[in-house]
């Protein structure tokens, strides 16, 4: 059965002004889909990359990859979900900025009672990102000292808490003293205010000259070289985002000169390719919430029609923690 809902669409690339609130038809779900009446939608830098055209998708299109809500209809071949289930997703096809939509069922997980809709929308993409970074890309054992850029952001505050739960000393970076304090309050061992301090020098001091075995860098171009300089010989540079622009023109000789370094450019989709792996990663995340070892900090809430303002705040580094669109 087809229903009509409000959704954000873009017809061409540009600034926040290209986001338009329109009415769209949501058909009944295909055999491998579920229809979700959404309660909250998570905002992420990747949404801005698609809006500006840094990442390409055929126009016109929606935006957003993570949300939470209630299952309204279930496709014929779907077995793990039923109407009325409380669910969330963090790795859907583009188009989460909507009141309701159809989503492939293998991208959707049930959320436990301990997790609210706002929390789920705020943490699925970000939390699953930290899960694959810390538990799969470079599997932290506990006892390591690591460097994590943008520690006061949505991903960063989850990373601070997860590192603490694992017994890992997380050195974060942040742009203001207030953001540095926020990251420390969420479990960062030390935070470097990069507007006032030299990141490489501080990492050397904090590690007694040993540097770190792994750097997690979602900032991209602006932090690339400094990140490499913070790594131990044979250390791993995990470049997982481009908040400051893409890393380009990489000189492989630099990796040799700086100590036979490794580099990976991972994405979440490769680490959770099946419904089983997606649910397992989500359960890892939900378990920390249930044990009260993690709290999701939602710094900002916006209405769906104010999605442009929300993206502007995110891009302008005016946000802390997660930003969500609420649909209730």
């Amino acid at each position: 059965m087809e229903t009509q809902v409000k959704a954000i669409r873009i017809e061409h690339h540009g600034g926040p002004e290209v986001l338009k609130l329109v009415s769209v038809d949501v058909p009944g779900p295909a055999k491998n889909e579920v229809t979700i009446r959404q309660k909250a939608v998570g905002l992420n830098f990747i949404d801005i990359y698609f809006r500006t055209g840094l990442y390409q998708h055929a126009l016109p299109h929606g935006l957003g990859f993570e949300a939470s809500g209630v299952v309204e209809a279930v496709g014929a071949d779907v077995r793990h979900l039923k109407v009325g289930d409380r669910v969330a997703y963090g790795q859907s096809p583009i188009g989460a900025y909507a009141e309701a939509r159809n989503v492939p069922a293998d991208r959707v997980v049930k959320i436990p009672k301990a997790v609210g809709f706002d929390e789920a929308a705020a943490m699925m993409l970000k939390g699953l990102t930290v899960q694959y970074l810390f538990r799969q890309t470079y599997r932290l054992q506990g006892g390591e000292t690591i460097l994590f850029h943008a520690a006061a952001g949505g991903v960063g505050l989850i990373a601070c808490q997860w590192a603490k739960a694992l017994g890992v000393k997380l050195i974060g970076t942040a742009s203001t003293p207030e953001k540095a304090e926020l990251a420390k309050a969420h479990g960062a061992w030390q935070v470097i205010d990069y507007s006032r301090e030299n990141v490489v020098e501080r990492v050397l001091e904090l590690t007694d000259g040993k540097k770190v075995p792994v750097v997690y860098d979602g900032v991209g171009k602006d932090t690339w070289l400094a990140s490499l300089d913070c790594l131990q010989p044979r250390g791993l540079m995990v470049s997982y985002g481009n908040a400051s622009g893409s890393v380009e023109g990489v000189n492989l000789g630099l990796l040799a000169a700086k100590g036979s370094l490794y580099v990976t450019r991972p994405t979440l989709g490769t680490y959770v390719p099946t419904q089983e792996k997606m649910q397992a990663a989500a359960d890892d995340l939900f378990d920390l919430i249930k044990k009260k070892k993690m709290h999701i900090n939602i710094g900002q809430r916006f209405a769906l029609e104010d999605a442009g303002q929300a993206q502007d705040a995110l891009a302008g580094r005016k946000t802390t923690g997660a930003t969500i669109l609420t649909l209730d």
Side-chain angles (χ1 to χ4, degrees), residues 151-175:
V155 175
L157 292 182
I158 293 174
C160 290
Q161 296 173 83
W162 208 319
K164 188 174 183 182
L166 290 169
V168 168
K169 288 180 173 178
L170 182 146
I171 302 170
T173 66
S175 58

Side-chain angles (χ1 to χ4, degrees), residues 270-289:
T270 319
Y271 283 85
V272 287
T274 64
Q275 194 275 320
E276 291 77 17
K277 287 186 175 175
M278 175 76 78
Q279 187 71 57
D283 287 345
D284 207 8
L285 176 61
F286 297 151
D287 195 45
L288 289 172
I289 299 279

Side-chain angles (χ1 to χ4, degrees), residues 311-326:
Q311 288 194 355
D312 208 23
L314 185 62
R317 296 183 181 175
K318 297 181 185 114
T319 63
T320 54
T323 303
I324 62 168
L325 306 175
T326 55

Side-chain angles (χ1 to χ4, degrees), residues 11-263:
E11 294 181 357
H12 49 87
H13 299 130
E17 71 282 352
V18 304
L19 274 63
K20 305 294 182 196
L21 186 69
V22 299
S23 291
V24 298
D25 292 326
V26 179
K31 61 184 182 179
N32 64 339
E33 293 180 332
V34 290
T35 306
I36 300 172
R37 176 63 60 171
Q38 304 201 136
K39 299 287 189 180
V41 177
L43 260 76
N44 297 278
F45 262 98
I46 194 170
D47 306 348
I48 297 171
Y49 304 156
F50 276 99
R51 187 200 76 209
T52 62
L54 175 66
Y55 289 1
Q56 292 289 325
H57 192 281
L59 291 163
H61 63 74
L63 288 172
F65 294 93
E66 73 175 336
S68 64
V70 176
V71 175
E72 264 193 350
V74 177
D77 291 351
V78 177
R79 297 287 173 266
H80 72 288
L81 298 168
K82 64 183 187 304
V83 171
D85 280 347
R86 299 171 72 251
V87 294
Y89 58 87
Q91 189 64 19
S92 72
I94 201 164
Y97 292 17
E99 292 175 332
R101 68 183 298 223
N102 293 326
V103 181
D106 68 350
R107 303 291 83 192
V108 178
V109 299
K110 290 185 194 177
I111 54 177
K113 286 177 185 166
V115 176
F117 288 119
D118 283 10
E119 272 185 316
M123 77 174 169
M124 283 298 291
L125 188 72
K126 300 168 194 70
L128 291 175
T129 295
V130 178
Q131 197 281 338
Y132 90 76
L133 291 175
F134 282 7
R135 310 309 291 144
Q136 299 188 68
T137 307
Y138 182 104
R139 189 173 173 86
L140 296 168
Q141 305 297 324
E144 298 95 339
T145 301
I146 65 172
L147 179 64
F148 200 100
H149 287 293
V155 175
L157 292 182
I158 293 174
C160 290
Q161 296 173 83
W162 208 319
K164 188 174 183 182
L166 290 169
V168 168
K169 288 180 173 178
L170 182 146
I171 302 170
T173 66
S175 58
T176 67
E178 293 75 21
K179 287 188 175 186
E181 281 307 311
L182 186 65
K184 284 188 92 166
H186 281 74
W189 173 58
Q190 299 283 345
V191 183
I192 301 166
D193 177 351
Y194 65 79
S195 68
R196 299 154 192 249
E197 300 176 288
N198 180 293
V199 172
V200 178
E201 286 174 10
R202 284 292 289 141
V203 167
L204 270 172
E205 286 171 21
L206 291 167
T207 60
D208 296 323
K210 293 176 185 169
K211 303 188 181 181
V212 296
V214 60
V215 175
Y216 297 100
D217 189 340
V219 176
K221 184 177 66 165
D222 289 356
T223 47
W224 168 253
L225 288 174
S227 292
L228 297 182
D229 284 335
C230 292
L231 283 165
Q232 296 168 359
R234 296 174 60 194
L236 176 63
M237 168 67 172
V238 183
S239 180
Y240 70 92
N242 325 285
S244 68
S246 300
V247 176
E248 293 173 354
V250 175
N251 175 1
L252 290 180
L254 264 183
L255 305 181
K258 292 180 185 295
S260 302
L261 302 178
Y262 293 85
V263 176

